[in-house]
Amino acid sequence: MASGREKTMKSSSHIFAMIFLQIIIVILFSLFVRYDPKTAQRSEKSVENGDGQMKDTYPIFQDVHVMIFLGFGFLMTFLKKYGLSAVSLNLMCSALAIEVFTLVYGFFHLHCEDPKFSLGSSACPSSWPYIDVNVGTMISADFATAAVLISFGVVLGVTSPLQLIVMTVFETIIFVVNEIIGRDFIGAVDAG
């Protein structure tokens, strides 16, 4: 029979997995991720583009983000035994899926230091690749998170938090690969 300490270590294994994943993600973000220079640099044109972006795409991002973090989280509270843990597990899976999507999608779409040139061209001044993040990337990350949270709703109450973490990472990677195959190679675009 397992002692109380062994049960505690086994039941809290997801905490160690999240700490390990977050350390890796912070290191990868600090090495590769930056704000998209086309929208982050201050110039007369960027102010106009930024104003348009704030009016056009940012409200879409807000709506989808609220749906992901609040809508799905409180949707899962209908389960009597898992109502309280559903919200916290939803937040954990959502945050992890957005981080993993940003990295995986970014590694498929690397950029040069100078946004005028593509990575790998002879005109690119640096050989270090960058992942550019903008509002469009964040909206796509939210859609990938929605796919993960739909699966989360199916397996809630049957899986452990550690299994949810593993499911979130793998499903996000498969989502990105599926999206790239569908959009770039097959040419199928879902209007949503």
Side-chain angles (χ1 to χ4, degrees):
M1 190 164 161
S3 69
R5 184 172 173 89
E6 290 174 4
K7 280 184 178 179
T8 304
M9 290 301 285
K10 187 176 182 185
S11 67
S12 62
S13 61
H14 68 284
I15 296 171
F16 300 114
M18 277 300 288
I19 290 171
F20 177 73
L21 279 172
Q22 289 302 312
I23 289 170
I24 291 173
I25 287 170
V26 165
I27 290 169
L28 290 173
F29 262 71
S30 64
L31 290 174
F32 294 105
V33 178
R34 67 178 181 178
Y35 288 113
D36 188 2
K38 294 174 190 161
T39 56
Q41 293 175 352
R42 180 118 172 119
S43 67
E44 234 177 83
K45 190 175 181 183
S46 71
V47 172
E48 294 169 12
N49 291 343
D51 187 47
Q53 188 179 29
M54 289 299 287
K55 289 179 183 172
D56 298 337
T57 57
Y58 191 72
I60 297 169
F61 167 70
Q62 280 182 320
D63 294 342
V64 176
H65 217 59
V66 167
M67 176 192 71
I68 294 300
F69 283 100
L70 294 179
F72 275 109
F74 290 113
L75 177 68
M76 303 304 167
T77 58
F78 67 88
L79 296 168
K80 190 183 252 183
K81 285 175 72 177
Y82 305 104
L84 295 175
S85 63
V87 176
S88 62
L89 292 173
N90 175 67
L91 290 173
M92 178 185 72
C93 290
S94 299
L96 183 61
I98 289 172
E99 293 169 344
V100 171
F101 177 88
T102 303
L103 289 171
V104 174
Y105 185 80
F107 284 130
F108 279 105
H109 299 93
L110 293 170
H111 298 280
C112 181
E113 185 176 349
D114 189 350
K116 297 175 190 165
F117 307 108
S118 62
L119 185 71
S121 71
S122 60
C124 182
S126 72
S127 61
W128 190 259
Y130 287 101
I131 297 170
D132 291 341
V133 175
N134 55 23
V135 176
T137 307
M138 296 305 295
I139 291 172
S140 297
D142 279 341
F143 285 131
T145 303
V148 170
L149 293 180
I150 290 168
S151 301
F152 164 76
V154 172
V155 299
L156 182 63
V158 182
T159 59
S160 69
L162 181 61
Q163 290 170 326
L164 287 174
I165 291 170
V166 172
M167 181 192 81
T168 300
V169 171
F170 282 118
E171 190 170 347
T172 306
I173 292 169
I174 291 169
F175 179 90
V176 171
V177 171
N178 185 34
E179 183 182 33
I180 288 170
I181 290 170
R183 183 177 293 161
D184 296 345
F185 296 111
I186 297 174
V189 177
D190 181 18

